[in-house]
Amino acid sequence: VQEVADRASAVAPGGWIGILGLVVVVVVVALFVRWRIGPVSRTDAITFTVDPGLSAAQYRAQADELAFAGRWEEAISQRMRALVRRCQERGLIDAHPGWTADEVAAAVGQRAPAALGPLERAARTFDEVRYGGRPGSPAGHRAIAEADAAVANATVTDTDTAGIGTAGASPGAAR
């Protein structure tokens, strides 16, 4: 190790001081990038759950209050909860802990194909805001509300190809 360090200091501009300066620059850049991208691991603090004790209408009311207050990130999360609860209330899914918004969209889209496009947009919007650190917006809130309306108005097929039947439905969680 000492031999490698001596060779590096011999060829580095400024010798040991140059190497030390380069290390400091690399550390500062790494810290800056880490600061800009935010947390890289998912923790319990960002787990997205749906409370089986609240109805879709109650979640929508909470989302609307948050939107009125300009708290778009929270409004988007509550609106997504409303969407998942509507899907559960319509018997389209048995949401369970560990499902992502994308998985919910795909599963519901199989049962309500006309709602698939709006569901995919809603899931992407939710993921970008909740996990990607993007700021919430009225447009994002509206995208999820449109998916909620699409599910409400969709004709449901009888197929259950994803194993998402409604027998023994137990409201759960989506992340």
Side-chain angles (χ1 to χ4, degrees):
V1 174
Q2 182 64 37
E3 185 178 320
V4 172
D6 288 339
R7 286 185 188 173
S9 68
V11 295
W16 281 106
I17 293 175
I19 291 174
L20 183 60
L22 182 61
V23 168
V24 168
V25 167
V26 168
V27 168
V28 167
V29 167
L31 289 173
F32 177 76
V33 168
R34 174 69 172 88
W35 173 72
R36 292 291 294 156
I37 64 170
V40 291
S41 65
R42 293 183 180 186
T43 65
D44 289 341
I46 61 172
T47 300
F48 177 71
T49 59
V50 176
D51 181 350
L54 293 176
S55 70
Q58 289 170 307
Y59 274 123
R60 275 191 295 281
Q62 289 176 0
D64 291 343
E65 287 175 22
L66 290 163
F68 183 75
R71 296 167 52 189
W72 295 110
E73 290 82 7
E74 295 168 89
I76 285 170
S77 288
Q78 291 304 90
R79 194 64 195 217
M80 190 66 182
R81 286 182 177 99
L83 173 57
V84 172
R85 282 300 285 149
R86 179 185 295 275
C87 294
Q88 292 171 347
E89 291 169 359
R90 284 206 65 195
L92 297 173
I93 56 171
D94 291 342
H96 53 81
W99 276 24
T100 66
D102 293 312
E103 290 169 335
V104 169
V108 174
Q110 286 184 343
R111 302 278 315 275
L116 181 60
L119 285 164
E120 289 173 337
R121 283 188 294 280
R124 186 173 43 254
T125 298
F126 172 78
D127 287 345
E128 288 172 352
V129 171
R130 181 75 177 198
Y131 303 120
R134 297 238 171 109
S137 66
H141 185 257
R142 196 168 33 257
I144 298 173
E146 289 168 359
D148 195 10
V151 167
N153 297 320
T155 300
V156 178
T157 64
D158 289 333
T159 59
D160 188 10
T161 58
I164 55 170
T166 59
S170 61
R175 289 191 313 157

